Amino acid sequence: MLPTPRDAYLETQILTATPQRLRLMLIEGAIRKVTAAQAAQDTGDWQKASTDLGQCRDIVAELIAGIDPEQTPVAKQVLGVYMFIYSTLVEAQFGRDGNRLLDIIRVLEEERQTWRALCEQMPDRPVPASNPTHNTEELAPPACRGKLVGRLCARAEYAPSPRVGVHARCLRTGNTNLR
């Protein structure tokens, strides 16, 4: 099947995005999915709500996988935020609790504002350290270990997965089932 123009556009966005922009794209995808789940819950469509929450959980799991808590104390704090979001998603899905979704949306909106500000302050890829043996902190660490967008780090190393077309669709739809 030929990719649609939208798929081709999204694939180009992913391949040319900075690590910080990719992280922002994932956060925005999570917001879209949790908002869609809330709308589905409001109409009583529990099947759609459950599907959207599952896809949001998958995106948050990718955000979690991209954090190395051993890097810095801030990384541990960010990991804690994403773990809160993940566990709240599980509670909201199985408890059918729309109020919990509002909590998730508030936290994700804060994350989006933070990463938007970072993208504005750092529109380009981070510059490599002058000492190549120096261990640099990763802005958007191994995001999903090749599952969605490949390895992304402050040294701007980028090894896209051979399935990047699938990954572009994953970011658009939130579907991370790559089997």
Side-chain angles (χ1 to χ4, degrees), residues 115-146:
W115 283 93
R116 276 186 179 163
L118 180 67
C119 288
E120 288 173 11
Q121 291 176 0
M122 293 180 60
D124 300 320
R125 291 190 181 277
V127 178
S130 58
N131 181 358
T133 60
H134 180 355
N135 185 11
T136 60
E137 179 178 350
E138 295 181 352
L139 287 175
C144 66
R145 309 275 184 227

Side-chain angles (χ1 to χ4, degrees), residues 22-35 51-67 82-83 85-86 89 108 142-144 147-149 167-177:
L22 287 169
R23 195 140 188 99
L24 177 60
M25 290 170 72
L26 286 170
I27 292 166
E28 288 173 339
I31 291 170
R32 276 192 308 275
K33 287 300 172 183
V34 76
T35 302
T51 299
D52 287 335
L53 288 174
Q55 291 173 343
C56 185
R57 264 197 345 263
D58 290 342
I59 293 170
V60 172
E62 299 302 336
L63 290 167
I64 290 169
I67 297 173
Y82 290 138
M83 294 301 292
I85 292 170
Y86 190 89
L89 281 166
L108 286 171
C144 66
K147 188 174 179 186
L148 266 182
V149 291
H167 305 315
R169 188 176 74 244
C170 293
L171 281 175
R172 187 181 81 247
T173 65
N175 179 6
T176 56
N177 293 327

Side-chain angles (χ1 to χ4, degrees), residues 84-104:
F84 164 77
I85 292 170
Y86 190 89
S87 64
T88 305
L89 281 166
V90 171
E91 292 171 11
Q93 182 176 5
F94 295 109
R96 295 185 175 184
D97 186 355
N99 291 328
R100 301 297 287 165
L101 297 181
L102 294 174
D103 295 337
I104 294 167

